[in-house]
């Protein structure tokens, strides 16, 4: 479906019994192939930004792979990072 509704694909996957989901994500850049340059309308010399996210269920089953490619001069990637609640502060 184009519109997966409130909560999106991840809520739907969890409702199907794949909860709680876990994600691994890699971010990289490289020069695009000629096909990627044409498809993304990239100017000559512009690198490609690629993000690959793999969603897994608790038993390790891969339930989704999302491979996103975009112009590295038009987009940036940012993340919020928090410490796990088990982290101990020094005494």
């Amino acid at each position: 479906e184009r519109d997966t509704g409130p909560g999106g694909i991840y809520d739907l996957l969890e409702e199907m019994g794949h909860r709680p989901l876990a994600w691994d994500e890699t971010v990289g850049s490289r020069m695009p192939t000629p096909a990627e340059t044409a498809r993304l309308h990239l100017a000559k010399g512009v690198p490609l930004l690629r993000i690959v996210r793999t969603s897994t269920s608790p038993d390790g089953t891969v339930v989704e792979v999302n491979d996103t490619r975009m112009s590295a001069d038009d987009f940036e990637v940012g993340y919020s990072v928090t410490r796990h609640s088990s982290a101990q502060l020094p005494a």
Side-chain angles (χ1 to χ4, degrees):
E1 298 289 330
R2 285 189 154 242
D3 181 1
T4 56
I9 188 172
Y10 301 116
D11 277 1
L12 289 176
L13 286 167
E14 288 189 336
E15 288 169 7
M16 293 169 59
H18 301 291
R19 69 177 43 148
L21 291 174
W23 295 272
D24 287 307
E25 191 164 274
T26 59
V27 179
S29 63
R30 61 173 170 75
M31 294 309 294
T33 65
E36 290 167 331
T37 298
R39 179 133 183 142
L40 296 171
H41 307 286
L42 299 174
K44 184 177 181 177
V46 172
L48 182 81
L49 179 62
R50 184 176 182 201
I51 304 168
V52 179
R53 180 184 320 116
T54 304
S55 304
T56 55
S57 64
D59 68 0
T61 301
V62 173
V63 295
E64 183 226 20
V65 175
N66 183 324
D67 186 344
T68 304
R69 300 166 197 216
M70 61 195 88
S71 170
D73 69 344
D74 287 335
F75 295 93
E76 65 183 17
V77 178
Y79 296 93
S80 296
V81 180
T82 57
R83 294 182 68 156
H84 189 271
S85 60
S86 65
Q88 298 288 322
L89 294 175

